Amino acid sequence: MQFRDLLKQYEVLKPQIDAAMVSVATSAHFISGPEIEELEKKLAEYVGVRHCITCANGTDAISIALRSWKIGKGDAVFVPDFTFFSSGECPADEGATPIYVDVDQHTYNLDPIKLEKAIKTVIADGKYKAKAVIAVDLFGLPADYPAIKAVCEKYDLLLMEDAAQGFGGKINGKKACSFGDISITSFFPAKPLGCYGDGGAIFTDNDEWEDLIRSICVHGKDTSNRNDPNAKYNNIRLGRNSRLDTLQAAILLPKFKAFKDYELEEINRVAGWYTEGLKGIGLVLPEIKDGFYSSWAQYTIQLPETADRTEIQSKLRAAGIPSMIYYAKPMHLQEAFAGTDSEIADCPVTERLCATVLSLPLDPYKSREEIDFVVTELKKALLRS
Ligand SMILES: *Cc1c(COP(=O)(O)O)cnc(C)c1O
């Protein structure tokens, strides 16, 4: 069994994806081809924001967004302690100080009460200027934006939505990538909407930021006249080279159609089979609160603290079932932050999660039989661990 079966998806979408790839090869329009604009328009429309700017990957998307806000040295950026490294790496790389905040045990997402506490502490200390919050839609579930936004407004902080894992999620019908002042996603192959390499996108309603982001993505080009082909050789600021390849955009177009037509619904069905099969046996299962909708980047359970996770994983592996630990280490304990103020954090929930979580195989193409098999083998492994 594959952890996330990308080949199965390719087999289903092969005619459209092959045609898309050949079409880019024969057009030879490898950079900034027409598929880029088509994709950006479709994604912005789906999400319900004015602008979508594609870029090279999700990590760049975070860094570029932070740069458009001029966040850097002396600024504090609040980040969940339980996330993928980029969420904290990017603000640190811009010279800011990530302040790690604990998460909710049941949703795995930023705890709004602890967020406010952390903001108050930073303001009282006065060493850093409280500037922004990066909320993460972990495992596909949108963070608690109604509560987080209220906190951001109260303390006048910018809000970024890191929806690298969250594309397709919703809160009361409003879509992920629309909750931040700027929101980002990733098209890394294993994300809910993935391409065939690296890719990312930035979303915002703000025209001024859109302009700045488009400029930063292409070496600080002049964006004042978008029809002028020479404007990209007029460099009005320092930027970087961060573009989505035309080939990846062409691959994403049919994949996006499948995603919204049926994959999102299917993966929710598959996740539902896990929830049904695994309840009542002493595991903590992912909780989707009323009004929330997940795109299920991962199905992550919490084992009893007494269970031997390594042993359970090896039993599953012996039965042909891959499993992963997302994430094994709290951000504030990553060696990269040793000796910095980012290592100062009070995150007991994250520390417990890191010791007990286990992510199970999941994708929209898994059958009921496959999920039942994982459930059966996991129950057996739990009894013997
Ligand atoms: C994957 C991921 C990123 C980075 O995306 P890349 O495209 O791999 O650079 C950022 N944040 C989170 C939460 C992620 O899961």
Side-chain angles (χ1 to χ4, degrees):
M1 185 184 299
Q2 296 290 313
F3 187 71
R4 191 174 184 97
D5 199 341
L6 297 173
L7 192 56
K8 184 75 205 286
Q9 183 197 44
Y10 175 58
E11 281 163 6
V12 173
L13 300 174
K14 191 174 186 319
Q16 300 96 297
I17 291 179
D18 286 1
M21 292 195 287
V22 169
S23 150
V24 174
T26 51
S27 79
H29 207 153
F30 300 113
I31 301 287
S32 309
E35 288 85 353
I36 296 286
E37 201 181 323
E38 184 185 346
L39 180 70
E40 289 181 345
K41 255 184 91 176
K42 286 189 169 153
L43 294 178
E45 197 181 343
Y46 174 79
V47 164
V49 298
R50 282 171 60 77
H51 307 291
C52 167
I53 308 105
T54 53
C55 64
N57 56 69
T59 307
D60 273 8
I62 300 173
S63 291
I64 290 164
L66 289 168
R67 203 181 288 184
S68 77
W69 285 343
K70 300 179 176 61
I71 282 177
K73 205 168 167 358
D75 295 333
V77 178
F78 301 86
V79 178
D81 199 36
F82 192 59
T83 182
F84 178 68
F85 193 60
S86 296
S87 314
E89 177 186 32
C90 300
D93 197 40
E94 292 299 308
T97 300
I99 303 292
Y100 292 112
V101 179
D102 214 358
V103 297
D104 177 278
Q105 191 204 342
H106 298 281
T107 64
Y108 302 113
N109 282 331
L110 196 58
D111 181 327
I113 292 167
K114 290 179 181 167
L115 171 65
E116 178 162 16
K117 224 175 120 189
I119 294 169
K120 279 182 167 164
T121 304
V122 164
I123 292 172
D125 282 356
K127 183 169 176 188
Y128 301 107
K129 178 157 180 17
K131 212 50 185 286
V133 173
I134 299 180
V136 178
D137 302 349
L138 206 72
F139 305 146
L141 179 70
D144 186 354
Y145 289 105
I148 292 169
K149 262 188 192 168
V151 173
C152 287
E153 276 161 23
K154 184 168 169 188
Y155 296 93
D156 197 20
L157 303 190
L158 290 160
L159 174 60
M160 187 185 305
E161 177 185 5
D162 175 353
Q165 301 180 16
F167 192 81
K170 287 181 259 189
I171 305 176
N172 297 322
K174 189 168 158 48
K175 297 223 176 62
C177 292
S178 74
F179 297 112
D181 296 306
I182 296 182
S183 304
I184 71 97
T185 197
S186 162
F187 303 124
F188 181 83
K191 306 280 176 170
L193 176 61
C195 63
Y196 284 180
D198 279 308
I202 304 167
F203 299 83
T204 185
D205 278 323
N206 185 301
D207 298 348
E208 209 173 301
W209 291 336
E210 184 237 2
D211 219 49
L212 209 45
I213 289 162
R214 287 202 186 277
S215 170
I216 295 167
C217 284
V218 186
H219 308 286
K221 70 176 177 184
D222 181 1
T223 47
S224 59
N225 181 359
R226 293 205 185 168
N227 298 321
D228 176 4
N230 291 319
K232 72 173 172 181
Y233 302 108
N234 187 28
N235 308 93
I236 60 174
R237 60 177 63 81
L238 298 177
R240 51 168 75 194
N241 175 14
S242 188
R243 285 177 293 224
L244 184 71
D245 293 338
T246 310
L247 194 57
Q248 299 302 347
I251 290 163
L252 278 165
L253 283 166
K255 287 192 51 154
F256 174 49
K257 185 168 174 4
F259 179 82
K260 61 187 169 63
D261 286 356
Y262 61 88
E263 281 187 354
L264 195 52
E265 204 175 312
E266 284 302 315
I267 205 157
N268 269 275
R269 195 187 327 272
V270 177
W273 294 334
Y274 271 137
T275 302
E276 190 188 314
L278 294 173
K279 68 181 174 218
I281 55 166
L283 301 169
V284 181
L285 303 179
E287 198 175 291
I288 313 297
K289 296 221 167 82
D290 269 359
F292 284 68
Y293 185 82
S294 177
S295 57
W296 294 103
Q298 303 294 341
Y299 193 94
T300 303
I301 62 171
Q302 293 160 52
L303 300 171
E305 276 179 76
T306 49
D308 181 342
R309 185 168 57 180
T310 312
E311 182 71 16
I312 290 171
Q313 279 198 289
S314 81
K315 296 243 164 70
L316 289 175
R317 199 176 310 117
I321 300 167
S323 62
M324 303 292 283
I325 298 171
Y326 297 129
Y327 293 92
K329 212 184 229 192
M331 290 293 283
H332 78 276
L333 293 178
Q334 292 284 3
E335 202 177 325
F337 297 111
T340 73
D341 287 348
S342 298
E343 73 176 352
I344 305 162
D346 178 24
C347 302
V349 175
T350 298
E351 287 180 26
R352 187 150 27 95
L353 287 174
C354 289
T356 58
V357 284
L358 189 67
S359 301
L360 303 175
L362 179 70
D363 63 64
Y365 299 90
K366 294 250 184 288
S367 67
R368 176 97 215 204
E369 289 66 37
E370 285 176 294
I371 300 306
D372 286 349
F373 177 64
V374 177
V375 167
T376 305
E377 292 301 317
L378 180 62
K379 282 180 178 169
K380 277 201 252 170
L382 276 164
L383 280 178
R384 287 184 273 120
S385 80

